[in-house]
Amino acid sequence: MNIIDELKWRGAINQMSDEKELHSLVEQKSIGLYCGVDPTGDSLHIGHLIPFMMLKRFQMAGHRAHIVIGGGTGSIGDPSGKKAERVLQSMEQIHHNEEKLTAQMKHLFGKDNITVVNNYDWLSKIDLLRFLRDYGKLFNVNTMLGKEVVASRLEVGISFTEFTYQILQSIDFYHLLKNNDVQLQIGGADQWGNITAGIDMIHKLSGSDKKVFALTIPLMLKADGTKFGKTAGGAIWLDPEKTTPYEFYQFWLNQDDRDVIKYLKYFTFLSHEEINELAEKVKSCPEKREAQRRLAEEVTAFVHGEKAVEQAEHISRALFSGDVKQLTATEIEQGFKNMPTIEITNDTKNIIEWLVDTKIEKSKRQAREDVTNGAIYINGERIRNLDFVIEPQNNFDGKFVIARRGKKKYYLAKVK
């Protein structure tokens, strides 16, 4: 199937310039295309991932994918999606972010048909007079003001710095066309104005018959109308230090039935047949959540690897069954990250005293009652003995004690 038709089936195209010509071109040959990301942070989150999934599909179809790390554009700030000016980061912080993002991209895209570049390498070499004469002269201010990315900021104001962002992005497209034979730029829906500005500039510099194209993806909303990728706990990051693989897996596992097939089309490389089969299962037996489980497995494996999937599923089974003693200290750090946490010393202590000292129980009377009734579990074992002694050094590398009261109320005690 033509890659354009594939993206259409997956609902992944918002706007596209000269669709017929682009459809024909990708049928005839391997083309160069690119997607960019500015180093405003040291990790991508899943909202950033969406256009890069489209880039990955082109790469897998044999096209030459290019990733632009925006060391130059990131130093001035993209006005899109912002109601006010960005706070400029230090160049030291930007360079740190560049290194982290480059490593993430290389992990996701591998080595075949992929080139990672940094636009600081060419933008930093353009002096002010050359910028104004060679490029600024090609842009009409009235046209720039009409671009949504700028127009949305006019009421509150926009600095000249951020106003020039679309010129710098246009230079990127022109540079990659000349040096890497890149003919297509892809990006989020809010990038349409910037991408088409680049096409206009290229036509002025290289002739109106120059074949260059724009493709944007839709703004992704959940079935309830809210923005995809945001949770009560904040963004879902690709960096395992920011969002653990277990949390990442659980995010996908907990998706709404109304959204899961759309996400399977966007974020996995499953075939049409497999996705259609899962869509039927959502209708016929939604309680089994097979589509959500497959989504969680596929996306977690893509971002973190198969071992992370196995670990996430192992943690999930242990928490569901209550058999937490089988977990490693590393798995406990992932699975209990957002559960109530208390600090304890390494001292041995009677269970009744320990439950009161940790404030898991309000009083010794209540503690004795809960232990006698079998409501207290320590490290996965039900404790009914009032003389039981807590020995922190005996489990989980001496780092943790896991307490549970009732069926689901877990507490993580960390040894200081």
Side-chain angles (χ1 to χ4, degrees):
M1 178 184 286
N2 185 294
I3 183 64
I4 301 301
D5 294 329
E6 173 75 10
L7 294 180
K8 279 186 173 181
W9 180 81
R10 292 180 181 272
I13 296 178
N14 181 53
Q15 288 177 284
M16 182 170 28
S17 65
D18 203 347
E19 177 182 343
K20 185 177 180 181
E21 184 72 33
L22 180 58
H23 190 283
S24 174
L25 186 65
V26 296
E27 196 80 63
Q28 296 168 25
K29 67 170 189 173
S30 167
I31 68 163
L33 71 154
Y34 92 94
C35 185
V37 60
D38 283 343
T40 51
D42 60 4
S43 172
L44 298 178
H45 57 66
I46 56 173
H48 294 132
L49 188 59
I50 303 171
F52 287 100
M53 294 300 292
M54 305 311 128
L55 188 72
K56 181 74 176 180
R57 294 187 196 284
F58 273 96
Q59 179 198 31
M60 293 172 68
H63 299 284
R64 294 174 290 105
H66 295 72
I67 295 170
V68 174
I69 305 296
T73 44
S75 68
I76 71 164
D78 182 356
S80 66
K82 296 292 177 182
K83 296 180 180 179
E85 291 283 317
R86 291 179 185 270
V87 176
L88 296 182
Q89 296 181 322
S90 69
M91 292 308 296
E92 181 182 11
Q93 182 63 50
I94 290 171
H95 291 323
H96 167 76
N97 295 345
E98 291 167 2
E99 292 176 1
K100 298 283 281 186
L101 293 181
T102 299
Q104 279 189 344
M105 290 301 183
K106 289 182 177 178
H107 170 72
L108 292 174
F109 283 85
K111 297 179 180 179
D112 297 332
N113 292 336
I114 186 69
T115 302
V116 181
V117 293
N118 188 327
N119 65 16
Y120 183 85
D121 293 343
W122 57 85
L123 293 178
S124 62
K125 293 179 174 61
I126 302 173
D127 62 39
L128 177 61
L129 293 180
R130 183 184 164 204
F131 172 78
L132 294 173
R133 289 179 61 84
D134 293 357
Y135 303 110
K137 193 69 173 175
L138 304 175
F139 286 78
N140 183 290
V141 170
N142 290 343
T143 302
M144 294 174 73
L145 290 172
K147 301 285 185 181
E148 175 59 29
V149 66
V150 173
S152 62
R153 287 281 300 279
L154 292 180
E155 192 171 320
V156 295
I158 182 172
S159 69
F160 179 73
T161 299
E162 291 196 5
F163 183 65
T164 62
Y165 187 94
Q166 63 182 274
I167 302 178
L168 297 185
Q169 188 168 331
S170 299
I171 296 171
D172 289 346
F173 201 171
Y174 180 59
H175 174 91
L176 291 169
L177 173 67
K178 285 198 309 176
N179 294 279
N180 300 69
D181 192 27
V182 167
Q183 294 177 268
L184 169 65
Q185 182 182 170
I186 65 176
D190 61 348
Q191 291 297 310
W192 180 256
N194 287 342
I195 298 173
T196 53
I199 290 176
D200 292 341
M201 190 188 84
I202 288 169
H203 285 160
K204 290 175 183 177
L205 289 170
S206 303
S208 58
D209 59 343
K210 197 68 177 177
K211 289 181 169 46
V212 283
F213 306 89
L215 188 155
T216 61
I217 61 169
L219 175 65
M220 186 172 286
L221 297 175
K222 296 190 289 188
D224 61 9
T226 60
K227 192 172 181 181
F228 167 78
K230 297 291 185 180
T231 68
I236 303 298
W237 300 96
L238 273 56
D239 185 339
E241 296 297 319
K242 292 176 177 286
T243 299
T244 69
Y246 170 74
E247 290 176 297
F248 191 84
Y249 179 92
Q250 288 294 318
F251 170 81
W252 298 103
L253 187 63
N254 291 323
Q255 292 307 314
D256 193 300
D257 288 344
R258 296 171 294 174
D259 292 318
V260 65
I261 299 304
K262 176 172 66 176
Y263 297 161
L264 281 166
K265 289 180 175 181
Y266 263 78
F267 293 103
T268 77
F269 303 101
L270 298 180
S271 68
H272 294 201
E273 292 75 20
E274 289 176 283
I275 292 175
N276 288 335
E277 284 178 16
L278 288 166
E280 287 301 316
K281 290 178 179 178
V282 171
K283 294 177 184 176
S284 61
C285 45
E287 71 282 356
K288 292 185 177 180
R289 299 186 70 76
E290 288 188 48
Q292 283 88 343
R293 192 168 303 282
R294 194 63 191 280
L295 175 67
E297 290 171 352
E298 292 292 318
V299 187
T300 305
F302 174 63
V303 174
H304 295 297
E306 292 289 349
K307 188 174 180 180
V309 175
E310 293 172 9
Q311 194 172 58
E313 291 178 340
H314 183 225
I315 296 169
S316 298
R317 287 192 298 269
L319 292 178
F320 181 76
S321 67
D323 188 17
V324 297
K325 62 179 178 293
Q326 63 181 293
L327 296 175
T328 66
T330 300
E331 289 171 336
I332 288 169
E333 287 181 301
Q334 288 195 51
F336 286 79
K337 182 179 176 183
N338 295 316
M339 291 186 185
T341 302
I342 45 189
E343 287 193 339
I344 61 171
T345 64
N346 199 31
D347 301 327
T348 58
K349 190 173 290 189
N350 172 269
I351 188 169
I352 303 303
E353 292 181 16
W354 190 86
L355 289 169
V356 175
D357 288 349
T358 56
K359 296 184 169 52
I360 293 174
E361 297 283 14
K362 293 181 180 179
S363 67
K364 289 185 178 181
R365 181 193 62 78
Q366 186 64 54
R368 284 192 290 267
E369 184 178 318
D370 283 347
V371 170
T372 303
N373 292 336
I376 298 297
Y377 297 76
I378 299 296
N379 299 330
E381 298 286 347
R382 175 178 276 170
I383 307 300
R384 292 181 182 271
N385 180 6
L386 296 176
D387 295 323
F388 181 84
V389 175
I390 302 288
E391 298 177 291
Q393 69 274 16
N394 287 352
N395 297 89
F396 312 124
D397 300 333
K399 294 180 179 179
F400 307 107
V401 174
I402 298 175
R404 185 177 120 209
R405 188 178 68 195
K407 291 184 177 181
K408 295 183 178 179
K409 190 66 173 178
Y410 280 100
Y411 300 85
L412 178 64
K414 300 176 73 172
V415 178
K416 290 189 282 188

